[in-house]
Amino acid sequence: MYVAVKGGERAIDNAHAWLAEERRGDLAVPELTVAQIREQMALAVNRVMAEGSLYDPDLAALAIKQARGDLIEAIFLIRAYRTTLPRFGASLPVDTGAMACDRRVSATFKDAPGGQVLGPTFDYTHRLLDFKLAADGEAGQVAEAAPLHGPTPHIMGFLDRENLIQPEPAGETTPPDLTREPLELPASRALRLQALTRADEGFTLGMAYSTQRGYARNHAFVAELRIGAVAVEMEIPELGFSIEIGEITLTECETVNQFQGSKTQPPQFTRGYGLVFGMTERKAISMALVDRALRWAELGEDNLGAPAQDEEFVLYHCDNIQATGFLEHIKLPHYVDFQSELELIRKLRRDAQQMQEAAE
Amino acid sequence: MQIQTLDGGFATPPVDAAHAFRAIMTAMAQPGTIVTLAGAVPPAPVSVAAGVALLTLCDPETPLFLGAAQDNPGFRDWITFHCGAPFVTAGLAHFAYGTWDALPLDGFALGSSEYPDRSATLIVELPELTNSGAVLRGPGIKDQAHLSLPDVAMFQRNAALFPRGLDFIFTCGDRLAALPRSTRVG
Amino acid sequence: MKEYNFAYLDEQTKRMIRRAILKGLAIPGYQVPFASREMPMPYGWGTGGVQVSAAVLTPDDTLKVIDQGADDTTNAVSIRRFFQRTAGVDVTEKTGEASVIQTRHRIPEQALREGQIIVYQVPIPEPLRFLEPSEVETRKMHALEDYGLMHVKLYEDISQHGDIATAYAYPVKVEGRYVMDPSPIPKFDNPKLDMAAIQLFGAGREQRIYALPPYTKVVSLDFDDYPFQPTKADHACALCGSTTSYLDELITDDAGGRMFICSDTDYCATRVEDAA
């Protein structure tokens, strides 16, 4: 006699215990601390903060540890935690012009007030495995310079003053909040940028790359890429003024794009914009390219049918937590749907066979 | 701020609101069904049922319109303290509260054909609420139901707009019933 | 679980979901947009259903969770545990004893009664999505009640296959107005959609909630000359002998051996107990 499979509860408990054991790995190897991850896996931490939409390096490091280094799983842990946090209010817009830059490069001007600062970049490293690191990861002496003081003007500002670039005046309206309101299309640029800043890095990179290869090509110059700390301020109604509540590191990318003019706009440069938590420059540049591609309608450009121009396509598929959940859910039982398909296919084949026999 | 303003909210908000919502949902799902609510004591003469409905459904995200006869500083303070709903004109309101005569029925959002949900829900204080009078038919009603509506023609016009239209919640004392736009009134 | 609010979600989120539920009940079959939250389980695994359940549960409820008709499938177990921990509700496997039933892909065999609530987990709420990928376009179609595309699809099925080639998530028309996706239930379950209980549908990733009040008129789409037919495997359950319940097919050996048993585990177990 057949007995139906039971024991879902025990299977889950055992799977969880096994997972915990695997996470720890070989007990002869010292356990990773959250501080080690935060300090030495900082770029992973930054990605988790950016796509998790929560600026907290310690929590991001904890999530990476818990997720065994699976960054999308870590981002998911952060998102699920973030959604339970109460909202105290909204900060004032951060002023990236006042950023204390660790890195600041421009591809459009050889020099500009504030100068070019390479900062801690992989850019000119030779990608050779450094076997010394396997044994000894201590850094050597690093040259130091006095920090730059005062605001570093945006390079875009120089083009702006000459009226060579499409203006982007400050808006009065409070942008909608993607995490509190359902996505509505067509989306405003503010909403698109919100979605892109926490979009999957790989998806954004692929979309951006497609625009470079000719799918809605719009050649982008990196007018400026800057990385550094900015102050976060909040207005306290009871006090009547704003106070600084902390400091976060951001990566900002502004691109200048060719533009021949259109039915509605004179020839001028146009902009793409990327702003992402942490030191995340691949993502910020990608974001700027995708942002620019999505602006075809407002600039009166043609819709070339390219994926990166399709707002619905980009916004509905850029979130890795939505994507991975739905993708992985096909592992769940689908006995019932499959059974109904099975019956249908058998019936259709039976009908087809009978028709064939009748014809013969 | 008066003591009265601070009083009369839910004692255990998550649990009180859960019970209240289930009752309100039952009323909306089964038009004509009268449910009983408890847990809030709004300033008189606002009914317990209306107070509970406001606390359960309204918050800073739901602009609220108050009928002129119900609009007084004491009640506003109570709403502000317990719900935080901003006060607006009828056209901007997601919810409205008032007696039948105090609500400008032509002034509320009816939703669009693409987004019929962007319409107002009116919480109407009635002097009596019984299962008598107008005949109700439609989703949520097995055969037919009866409800003591303040008008018939208005609800017929509203139902004719479906899927656009207003949804109504009626309150009287601690009792509450609902009439969604889907109900056909005869 | 003291670290989290009753039923996990914060009160403001619950109010937002509750308002969407009321709108859904007022406009049966219309998909109400809602600001779905990240839940501690993945999108696609029932986050919409879980958010709807969290918004309707009270501490007095008795909850049943099924996946594929069964109470003991792993995801059903996981969701049931979530609500035991966060809402402290009683749980049951008995369809008749449950006040709230969360389900994935099935409607229980035992008819639901007034006062019960069934919450469906919905992956793709838009019945027109696979015919028209753009949300902007499908929204227009619903607004204009333009369901020509769906009828063309069903008609093409018939001309090509001699039958409508949709076996689950079979589209229905609600009260003669909205075409609705009943979630991926087998079409065998479609006639049960006309029921006495409140039906709530939650799609978390797609940010939609929709609803059917009790006794709402729900009609499976068909043609006069090709009327809708609910189908199931033409067998009796090998455990309880039922010839009227929906069956799972099991492979018993590698020589083509198979058996059929009820997909609804409570229905089957109750029949076996009653017979003993």
Side-chain angles (χ1 to χ4, degrees), chain A residues 1-13 16 76 79-85 178-183 185-186 198 312 316 319 321-344 346-348 351, chain C residues 4 8 10 12 33-35 37-45 67-68 72-75 77-78 80-81 104-106 123-124 133-136 161 163-168 184 186 205 207-208 231-233 238-239 246-250 258-261 263:
Chain A
M1 182 63 185
Y2 173 81
V3 180
V5 185
K6 293 261 178 194
E9 306 228 3
R10 213 178 62 227
I12 289 177
D13 287 339
H16 289 176
F76 183 15
R79 289 269 194 95
Y81 176 74
R82 175 192 192 279
T83 195
T84 65
L85 299 175
L178 185 70
T179 67
R180 309 298 278 188
E181 294 156 36
L183 179 62
L185 298 166
R198 62 188 217 151
E312 276 207 52
Y316 271 119
D319 189 278
I321 302 309
Q322 292 177 358
T324 199
F326 197 53
L327 181 103
E328 296 194 43
H329 107 282
I330 62 175
K331 294 180 286 192
L332 290 177
H334 285 78
Y335 319 135
V336 166
D337 328 14
F338 185 71
Q339 185 64 33
S340 64
E341 292 270 275
L342 206 56
E343 281 148 26
L344 180 68
R346 282 177 182 146
K347 178 176 184 306
L348 293 179
D351 293 352
Chain C
Y4 290 100
Y8 183 77
D10 61 277
Q12 191 157 342
F34 84 111
R37 302 289 197 248
E38 277 99 352
M39 297 299 287
M41 62 268 298
Y43 283 121
W45 298 54
D67 185 346
Q68 314 297 302
D72 65 342
T73 37
T74 41
N75 204 43
V77 169
S78 166
R80 187 163 58 237
R81 279 187 174 184
R104 178 167 171 265
H105 297 188
R106 273 311 309 276
I124 304 278
S134 162
E135 160 69 15
V136 172
H161 309 292
D163 208 338
I164 292 174
T166 299
Y168 62 91
R205 191 178 38 77
Q207 307 192 311
R208 297 290 184 273
T231 53
K232 63 179 276 291
L239 298 181
Y246 193 76
L247 301 174
D248 280 342
E249 181 172 336
L250 281 78
R258 56 173 61 99
M259 67 188 301
F260 293 85
I261 59 165
S263 129

Side-chain angles (χ1 to χ4, degrees), chain B residues 13-15 17-19 21-22 24-26 28-31 54-62 83 94-95 113-121 138-143 162-163 167 169 180-182 184, chain C residues 5-6 11-12 14-19 21-23 25-28 30-33 37 55-61 99-100 114-115 117 135-136 139-140 142-143 175 177-178 196 198 200 213-216:
Chain B
V15 174
H19 285 295
F21 175 70
R22 273 291 276 283
I24 296 168
M25 183 178 88
T26 301
M28 191 61 86
Q30 294 167 245
L54 288 165
L55 293 192
T56 305
L57 300 175
C58 297
D59 59 31
E61 292 176 5
T62 57
C83 307
H94 293 188
F95 285 89
S113 51
E114 297 198 348
Y115 291 95
D117 55 305
R118 294 182 183 173
S119 55
T121 300
I141 303 165
K142 192 171 185 186
D143 299 310
F162 189 89
D167 303 313
I169 290 172
R181 65 195 81 178
S182 60
R184 297 180 290 276
Chain C
N5 196 21
F6 170 73
E11 287 306 294
Q12 191 157 342
K14 276 191 268 187
R15 274 192 299 271
M16 178 270 296
I17 296 170
R18 286 167 178 163
R19 291 192 292 259
I21 291 171
L22 292 187
K23 288 280 200 247
L25 287 164
I27 318 167
Y30 168 73
Q31 302 162 49
V32 184
R37 302 289 197 248
V56 303
L57 281 174
T58 77
D60 302 343
D61 272 312
S99 51
V100 177
E114 251 182 63
I117 298 168
E135 160 69 15
V136 172
R139 186 163 286 278
K140 263 187 225 147
H142 284 294
E175 289 281 332
R177 179 56 180 83
Y178 283 104
I198 294 175
L200 305 174
Y215 313 113
T216 298

Side-chain angles (χ1 to χ4, degrees), chain C residues 129-149:
Chain C
R129 181 61 67 238
F130 298 115
L131 306 174
E132 168 52 64
S134 162
E135 160 69 15
V136 172
E137 292 303 318
T138 52
R139 186 163 286 278
K140 263 187 225 147
M141 292 177 189
H142 284 294
L144 299 171
E145 209 176 336
D146 173 8
Y147 296 122
L149 205 57

Side-chain angles (χ1 to χ4, degrees), chain A residues 7-217:
Chain A
E9 306 228 3
R10 213 178 62 227
I12 289 177
D13 287 339
N14 288 341
H16 289 176
W18 195 351
L19 176 68
E21 188 183 273
E22 288 288 314
R23 174 167 54 237
R24 176 60 184 87
D26 185 350
L27 293 174
V29 177
E31 188 190 346
L32 260 178
T33 67
V34 167
Q36 283 170 338
I37 297 170
R38 185 193 66 223
E39 296 301 318
Q40 298 172 40
M41 293 284 145
L43 299 187
V45 166
N46 285 345
R47 181 173 173 196
V48 170
M49 293 197 300
E51 295 172 34
S53 292
L54 186 72
Y55 196 95
D56 189 321
D58 288 295
L59 285 181
L62 173 63
I64 291 169
K65 178 174 179 173
Q66 186 178 333
R68 306 178 62 199
D70 179 336
L71 294 190
I72 292 185
E73 182 68 27
I75 291 161
F76 183 15
L77 288 168
I78 291 298
R79 289 269 194 95
Y81 176 74
R82 175 192 192 279
T83 195
T84 65
L85 299 175
R87 299 271 173 123
F88 297 118
S91 75
L92 296 171
V94 292
D95 178 7
T96 54
M99 180 184 279
C101 295
D102 287 337
R103 172 163 165 77
R104 190 235 194 179
V105 292
S106 168
T108 52
F109 295 100
K110 191 165 184 182
D111 202 3
Q116 304 240 20
V117 181
L118 269 188
T121 176
F122 291 123
D123 282 356
Y124 306 102
T125 61
H126 294 144
R127 269 58 169 208
L128 303 170
L129 270 179
D130 180 358
F131 292 101
K132 274 215 315 290
L133 275 182
D136 172 17
E138 291 307 315
Q141 279 288 316
V142 179
E144 286 185 20
L148 299 169
H149 286 293
T152 313
H154 280 109
I155 286 176
M156 280 306 210
F158 305 114
L159 294 171
D160 227 355
R161 277 195 288 280
E162 271 190 78
N163 289 325
L164 291 177
I165 192 154
Q166 155 253 340
E168 203 66 67
E172 287 300 309
T173 50
T174 305
D177 185 341
L178 185 70
T179 67
R180 309 298 278 188
E181 294 156 36
L183 179 62
E184 187 189 330
L185 298 166
S188 62
R189 186 174 179 222
L191 199 64
R192 293 197 304 251
L193 290 170
Q194 272 178 50
L196 288 175
T197 194
R198 62 188 217 151
D200 182 70
E201 181 175 311
F203 178 91
T204 317
L205 172 65
M207 280 289 133
Y209 179 47
S210 74
T211 68
Q212 292 187 290
R213 285 198 65 260
Y215 288 83
R217 182 168 186 275

